[in-house]
């Protein structure tokens, strides 16, 4: 049994056999073949070794003339590993003695090989881990050809173990048999993590080198509560986790009793608990969990689903589906937040060196006016069907907001000229997710219809910590005193101006922050649908005076640790059984 620590990003416990994807997304299931097919697997393996040696030899010769001998020599080591009989004999033996498929035997042998280098405490040799991965990938490419198995069509439940996972692959897991996910890299607020949480798949990220420790078919536990991944658990641990899994399900089932109760404090102050959604199908989820509407519809995920720019009609239909599903409840549609870790970077041949500070969100839309206008037309048309608000992401200046509104008016004029019905009075607001917008909030509230605080990005930009990087995840915290104070200022400014203010970052759905945010004056929370019942439960237990006292005390601390310890102690008093 091996226990590895990571960052839990989606709660729950998953227990299943592992499927390991390497960095190129090859899926290597543990597969055995019939005895009569063993010979064929050995032949496949032999061909893969020969093709890899040929290919590498050609590439090395090319590199030595282009890049010099030194670079080409690095690959001589790869050639050495592939042409000396040792590795090939080992893989062949794995096939012959266990009837493993060539792909699985290769993956198993290469992972053992990698582990040998990982144990050596010498940075020069640590580099070899990457080389071994490279060789594995090359061999698997030749063994599997281009026939990657599709995760959406697994035949039995599995835990997905992978070095990294892009939002576009994560988005395909919703209806699959993937029960849990464990990833080598990643941070708590990355879009992949948000998606996994939205799909309710227990997940742990930032488990350094996990994928090198696991082979396809190993039994794995993803503990999305205590930040752990357990490989090959012993019988006692397995039993304990099966129990915990049952208890976790019971807690969730009990929360369902809250569904039809109003979201209000113990002394009757009303709150709006809204849902963040990425796909139209999640709107139903919001209602199932007792949500009061959609506070954030991340429309850019239409790109992931359709793998390209969605047409005006496709968008119109998606927006209309969400609005209709909400049956009169409010829906806030955010214009495309492309760039950063979403879609456009992933696909771009010309990657930005610093995409989080690059051409993303409203900046991208204002440069790609055709795409932006099509989206605005689709939103305006769909907005005739219900209570819809339009929101612009990552605003840093009033000029940007005014420019975006001008394009909106152009789109309205075009629709008018074409005689197409649309909502003339749509309310327009912004996300406050940059320090600039937060600090200048006093100016924004004179022009915007509403504000939604996006703490996922606000924390990232205020603290200068990449939200998706596990190496700095210990610095990424919504409990930093600077974050608390800036949120407080925005809420106060909006209240004073009579402008509606919600918060749609992940912290809105974390019970740790519920009393604090309510006590700071927030009345609208928008979160993953799954988080609504627990936040509702907590609000209904507390009187406003108490939450205001908690907020005041939390604001008085100088360090993030003090804030977390205090909020944790306060929350535990009310939810003693919940992992906080
Ligand atoms: C945020 O930044 O807090 C937010 C809600 O937007 P996203 O997570 O899509 O960047
Ligand atoms: Mg954001």
């Amino acid at each position: 049994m091996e226990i590895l620590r990571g960052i839990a990003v989606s709660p729950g416990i998953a227990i299943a056999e592992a499927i390991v994807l390497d960095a190129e997304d090859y899926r290597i299931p543990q597969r055995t073949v019939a005895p009569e097919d063993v010979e064929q697997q050995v032949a496949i393996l032999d061909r893969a070794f020969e093709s890899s040696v040929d290919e590498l030899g050609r590439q090395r010769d090319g590199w030595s003339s282009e890049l010099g001998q030194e670079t080409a020599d690095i690959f001589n080591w790869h050639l050495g590993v592939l042409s000396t009989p040792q590795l090939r004999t080992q893989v062949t033996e794995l096939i012959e003695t266990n009837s493993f498929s060539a792909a699985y035997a290769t993956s198993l042998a290469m992972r053992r090989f990698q582990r040998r280098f990982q144990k050596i405490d010498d940075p020069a040799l640590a580099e070899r881990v990457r080389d071994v991965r490279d060789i594995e990938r090359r061999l698997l490419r030749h063994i599997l050809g281009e026939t990657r198995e599709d995760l959406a069509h697994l035949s039995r439940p599995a835990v997905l173990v992978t070095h990294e996972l892009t939002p576009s692959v994560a988005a395909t897991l919703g209806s699959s048999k993937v029960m849990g996910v464990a990833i080598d890299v990643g941070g708590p607020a990355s879009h992949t993590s948000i998606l996994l949480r939205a799909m309710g798949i227990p997940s742990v990220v930032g488990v350094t080198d996990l994928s090198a420790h696991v082979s396809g078919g190993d039994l794995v536990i993803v503990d999305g509560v205590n930040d752990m991944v357990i490989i090959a658990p012993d019988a006692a641990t397995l039993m304990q986790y099966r129990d915990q899994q049952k208890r976790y399900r019971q807690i969730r089932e009990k929360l369902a009793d809250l569904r039809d109760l109003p979201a209000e404090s113990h002394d009757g102050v009303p709150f709006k608990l809204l849902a963040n959604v990425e796909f139209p199908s999640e709107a139903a989820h919001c209602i199932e969990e007792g949500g009061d509407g959609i506070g954030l519809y991340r429309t850019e995920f239409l790109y992931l689903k359709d793998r390209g720019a969605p047409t005006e009609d496709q968008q119109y239909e998606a927006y209309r589906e969400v609005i209709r599903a909400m049956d009169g409840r409010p829906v806030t549609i955010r214009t495309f937040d492309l760039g950063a870790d979403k879609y456009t970077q992933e696909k771009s041949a010309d990657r930005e060196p610093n995409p989080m500070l690059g051409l993303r969100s409203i900046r991208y839309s204002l440069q790609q006016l055709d795409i932006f206008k099509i989206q605005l037309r689709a939103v305006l048309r769909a907005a005739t069907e219900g209570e819809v608000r339009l929101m612009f992401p990552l605003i840093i200046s009033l000029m940007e907001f005014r420019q975006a509104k001008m394009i909106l008016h152009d789109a309205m004029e075009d629709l008018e000229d074409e005689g197409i019905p649309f909502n003339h009075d749509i309310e327009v607001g912004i996300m406050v997710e940059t320090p600039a917008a937060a600090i200048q909030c006093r100016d924004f509230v004179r022009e915007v219809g509403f504000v939604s605080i996006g703490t996922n990005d606000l924390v990232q930009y205020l603290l200068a910590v990449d939200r998706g990087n596990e190496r700095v995840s210990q610095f990424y915290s919504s409990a930093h005193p600077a974050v608390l104070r800036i949120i407080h200022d925005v809420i106060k400014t909006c209240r004073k101006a009579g402008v509606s203010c919600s918060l749609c970052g992940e912290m809105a759905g974390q019970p740790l922050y519920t009393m604090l945010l309510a006590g700071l004056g927030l009345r609208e929370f928008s979160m993953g649908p799954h988080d609504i019942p627990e936040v509702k439960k907590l609000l209904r237990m507390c009187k406003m005076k108490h939450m205001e006292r908690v907020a005041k005390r939390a604001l008085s601390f100088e360090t993030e640790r003090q804030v977390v310890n205090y909020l944790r102690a306060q929350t535990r008093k009310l939810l003693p059984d919940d992992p906080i």
Side-chain angles (χ1 to χ4, degrees), residues 488-544:
H488 188 209
D489 285 347
V490 172
I491 296 172
K492 265 193 315 196
T493 307
C494 289
R495 289 195 87 160
K496 209 162 143 202
V499 168
S500 122
C501 175
S502 67
L503 190 147
C504 61
E506 291 305 295
M507 83 187 280
Q510 293 168 349
L512 183 69
Y513 298 111
T514 305
M515 285 186 272
L516 164 79
L517 293 172
L520 291 177
L522 189 76
R523 296 292 176 266
E524 279 183 36
F525 294 59
S526 193
M527 62 197 83
H530 189 265
D531 297 328
I532 292 174
E534 185 124 50
V535 172
K536 191 191 272 188
K537 178 173 160 187
L538 200 46
L539 285 172
R540 289 178 60 84
M541 293 169 98
C542 300
K543 290 197 172 150
M544 282 317 301

Side-chain angles (χ1 to χ4, degrees), residues 365-386:
S365 293
L366 289 173
Q367 278 207 7
Q368 304 282 334
L369 287 182
D370 291 349
I371 293 179
F372 193 34
K373 254 195 177 168
I374 287 174
Q375 174 167 45
L376 295 173
R377 286 170 61 98
V379 174
L380 285 166
R381 286 170 54 200
T384 55
E385 304 258 347

